[in-house]
Every structure is written in structure tokens, then in C-alpha cells.
Amino acid sequence: MAISLSKGQKIDLTKTNPGLTKIMVGLGWDTNKYDGGKDFDLDASVFCLNAQGKANSESDFIFYNNPKNSNGSVVHTGDNRTGAGDGDDEKVEVDLAAVPAEIDKIAFCITIYEGQARSQNFGQVSNAFVRIVDEQSGTELIRYDLGEDFSVETAVVVGELYRHSGEWKFSAVGSGFQDGLGGLARNYGLSTN
């Protein structure tokens, strides 16, 4: 039975699941009725961060155009352009044991592709969630349903895996940004063009 978290909660991942090394992080969402005439494309992205909360290089920013980090321990499995259907819309596989030692935190984000240009925001998104699954057994370990707390945001940091005393923990973050992927990238120390 998965542990369901609310915003701000933190939980042990590897301590309570000894031997856990490979996880799948599933992100999902539905879009509400939208009459703007443009496609609504949400994207999952991942930032591998150092102890200062910054990405060391562009390769620590994982998304559909850069599907894995430098050593392949964090892999984005592909872009879903519609969000149609139930279950995970996009997935990220993480080999916890292989994550480089200088990576302290892995942030999982959902952004709306061209959200500002298309006048789309998370107020038009429902049932957004992140879940962590033991890749070996297929068991869902942790789930965080974001709820409907957003109105004008075009990007949301949904959760973070982070190291603590040699173990991995998960934090349900749920914080929104108004300037999309560019705002997130700048927040994590990357320059955007």
C-alpha cells in the first residue's frame, strides 16, 4: 500500500525499503475543459542538484530533449504530448545507487509547454500527481496528489528526492512558478536563452 503524502511532508525512501536501488517516478495529469484552440502539452523535467541546490551543468537538466544525465542514472523515458488516458503520463527512471555523489537532490517538475504564449496555466490542470514505484517489484511506494492549489503558474516543482545521512528521502514540494521552464532553470542556476 503506497504512502500518500500531502504538501510539505517528507518521508524515508531507502531506509524503510532496504535494498531499494531502482525506482520509477511516474508523473500524471489531466487537463480541464479548455477552449483556447491550442494543444495543451505538459512536460516532466528533472533537475539533479548539488548541496547548494544548483545544477552543476546542462547535463543535470533532464527532459525530452536531454533524456538522461551524464552517467545515465536518471532517465526520462519520453514525451507524452496529450496526457490522454489514465496512469502515468511521463516517467523517469532513477538508479539511486548510481546517482553521482555530488548530486544531493533530484527535483521533479511539471511544466506547461509554451504555457504563457498559449494562455495556459495549472488552474486548467487537474488530478496532477507524482508517484514512486519500486522498479523491481512494481509496487507503488509513495504517492503525492497535488490538488488544485494553482491558478496562474506554468511550472510546478512536484517533489524532490534528497540524500540524508546516507539514505534517500522524498519531499512533497508542490511549489509553483509563473515563468515556466525558464524560471525553473534559472532558479536552479542554469542560464536560459
Side-chain angles (χ1 to χ4, degrees), residues 54-185:
K54 302 295 180 195
N56 290 323
S57 72
E58 298 279 327
S59 67
D60 288 330
F61 168 37
I62 297 104
F63 66 115
Y64 57 86
N65 273 346
N66 180 42
K68 60 185 181 190
N69 65 341
S70 53
N71 78 341
S73 57
V74 180
V75 179
H76 188 300
T77 64
D79 188 13
N80 174 338
R81 291 175 182 251
T82 65
D86 292 334
D88 303 319
D89 290 307
E90 294 190 13
K91 298 176 184 169
V92 179
E93 293 166 353
V94 182
D95 184 346
L96 296 169
V99 173
E102 71 271 9
I103 301 302
D104 216 46
K105 190 184 282 182
I106 303 171
F108 297 90
C109 312
I110 301 174
T111 57
I112 301 173
Y113 181 72
E114 294 185 351
Q116 286 167 305
R118 297 175 179 181
S119 301
Q120 296 169 343
N121 59 57
F122 272 91
Q124 298 154 318
V125 174
S126 57
N127 304 322
F129 68 86
V130 59
R131 67 190 195 111
I132 296 180
V133 175
D134 177 340
E135 208 171 271
Q136 197 171 1
S137 68
T139 307
E140 183 177 293
L141 304 172
I142 298 171
R143 183 181 185 94
Y144 169 41
D145 292 298
L146 267 73
E148 314 291 321
D149 298 339
F150 306 102
S151 54
V152 297
E153 293 84 354
T154 53
V156 176
V157 179
V158 290
E160 295 173 340
L161 284 169
Y162 65 99
R163 293 186 204 260
H164 181 75
S165 303
E167 300 284 353
W168 284 98
K169 292 182 142 196
F170 181 78
S171 171
V173 177
S175 65
F177 284 77
Q178 285 187 25
D179 46 357
L181 198 53
L184 281 177

